[in-house]
């Protein structure tokens, strides 16, 4: 099992550019989560999907953020336009619904300059 | 009041001592509680979960839950330098339902030689 796979590992972009983060969950997991981690705010849930359907997007900061899960093996988180305050580590995690905790991917460190 | 609160630390303990990490939560109806360990620059990894009041032991780790006091703790016996990391408490709140976890901001543990 390769675990949760995220790409890219690092992304540096200029303010105003579009950024797309990608995630492949563990095969067979039917819940997928996008979190953002900063020193000040810790891990914040942005959005999560069950069976490819968005269940709770209340953590998405604003309309600049969007997430999709077109199938059970792929999800994207898009920021357009990006701003310096979006700089953070973005984690994707997956689990069986209602199971005992998540498995996290390695994260994408995003820097917006 | 934050949903999940932890002392940010750092908590310093000598090698071989017991490290005690604490967490309080605000949602009285919360059912499931998790401890994750996060090494610097890495993703969180699940080390323990607990559902019932009392203690749950797994090797050198013991999780303790007191739902009446809305308090969960993690004890690490015979602390080793390799235990130096940030420990994140996570709660599955009943409010809003679903499979999402709310994380505290973590406690940094330093085990000194």
């Amino acid at each position: 099992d390769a675990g949760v796979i995220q790409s890219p590992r690092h992304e540096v972009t200029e303010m105003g550019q579009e950024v797309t983060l990608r995630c492949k969950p563990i095969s067979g997991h039917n819940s997928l989560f996008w979190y953002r981690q900063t020193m000040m705010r810790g891990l914040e849930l942005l959005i999560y999907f069950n069976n490819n359907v968005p269940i709770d997007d209340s953590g998405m900061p604003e309309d600049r953020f969007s997430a999709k899960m077109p199938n059970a093996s792929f999800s994207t988180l898009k920021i357009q336009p990006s701003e310096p305050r979006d700089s953070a580590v973005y984690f994707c995690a997956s689990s069986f619904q209602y199971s005992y905790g998540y498995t996290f991917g390695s994260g994408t460190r995003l820097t917006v300059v | 009041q934050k949903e999940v609160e932890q002392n940010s630390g750092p908590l310093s303990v000598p090698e071989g001592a017991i490290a005690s990490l604490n967490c309080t939560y605000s949602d009285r109806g919360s059912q499931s509680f998790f401890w994750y360990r996060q090494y610097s620059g890495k993703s969180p990894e699940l080390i323990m979960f607990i559902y019932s009041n009392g203690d749950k032991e797994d090797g050198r780790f013991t999780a303790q839950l007191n739902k009446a006091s809305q308090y969960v703790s993690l004890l690490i016996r015979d602390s080793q330098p390799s235990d130096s990391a940030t420990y994140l408490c996570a709660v599955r709140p009943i409010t809003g339902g679903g499979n999402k976890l709310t994380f505290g901001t973590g406690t940094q543990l330093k085990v000194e030689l």
Side-chain angles (χ1 to χ4, degrees):
Chain A
D1 189 343
V4 177
I5 300 173
Q6 291 187 247
S7 64
R9 289 296 305 274
H10 302 274
E11 177 81 31
V12 180
T13 191
E14 292 184 345
M15 182 174 62
Q17 296 298 306
E18 178 180 294
V19 175
T20 299
L21 311 181
R22 297 172 175 79
C23 176
K24 175 180 171 55
I26 292 173
S27 177
H29 283 186
N30 62 349
S31 293
L32 183 139
F33 309 84
W34 283 101
Y35 279 85
R36 177 172 67 177
Q37 187 174 41
T38 60
M39 289 293 293
M40 291 299 296
R41 301 174 67 91
L43 267 171
E44 301 174 283
L45 178 66
L46 300 177
I47 186 171
Y48 82 95
F49 298 83
N50 278 346
N51 298 314
N52 312 338
V53 176
I55 302 300
D56 184 349
D57 66 353
S58 60
M60 296 286 262
E62 48 198 272
D63 291 345
R64 297 185 298 108
F65 286 70
S66 62
K68 294 182 180 180
M69 192 165 186
N71 57 60
S73 59
F74 184 65
S75 177
T76 59
L77 178 68
K78 184 177 293 186
I79 308 172
Q80 166 64 19
S82 57
E83 296 182 3
R85 60 192 168 118
D86 301 330
S87 297
V89 180
Y90 291 79
F91 286 105
C92 175
S94 70
S95 76
F96 292 112
Q97 191 173 353
Y98 300 112
S99 71
Y100 306 132
Y102 310 155
T103 301
F104 282 83
S106 299
T108 294
R109 181 174 296 276
L110 173 65
T111 303
V112 183
V113 297
Chain B
Q1 181 186 8
K2 291 183 180 179
E3 292 182 68
V4 182
E5 296 208 51
Q6 297 181 255
N7 187 318
S8 62
L11 172 67
S12 293
V13 300
E15 183 179 7
I18 296 175
S20 178
L21 303 161
N22 305 314
C23 172
T24 58
Y25 58 94
S26 61
D27 187 340
R28 183 168 290 277
S30 297
Q31 299 293 315
S32 314
F33 308 87
F34 303 81
W35 283 100
Y36 282 79
R37 177 177 61 201
Q38 187 175 24
Y39 292 112
S40 180
K42 302 295 185 181
S43 58
E45 57 178 329
L46 179 67
I47 53 174
M48 286 202 73
F49 61 88
I50 186 167
Y51 291 74
S52 302
N53 274 328
D55 295 358
K56 179 181 179 181
E57 186 174 318
D58 183 1
R60 295 187 297 112
F61 298 96
T62 298
Q64 299 176 317
L65 175 60
N66 184 326
K67 289 187 178 181
S69 300
Q70 295 174 241
Y71 177 94
V72 59
S73 64
L74 179 70
L75 301 179
I76 306 175
R77 291 181 299 280
D78 188 24
S79 296
Q80 301 296 310
S82 58
D83 295 325
S84 297
T86 296
Y87 289 80
L88 302 168
C89 173
V91 175
R92 179 175 287 140
I94 194 104
T95 305
N99 195 22
K100 66 180 182 181
L101 297 183
T102 299
F103 285 82
T105 52
T107 297
Q108 185 183 7
L109 173 66
K110 294 185 177 181
V111 181
E112 299 168 333
L113 295 171

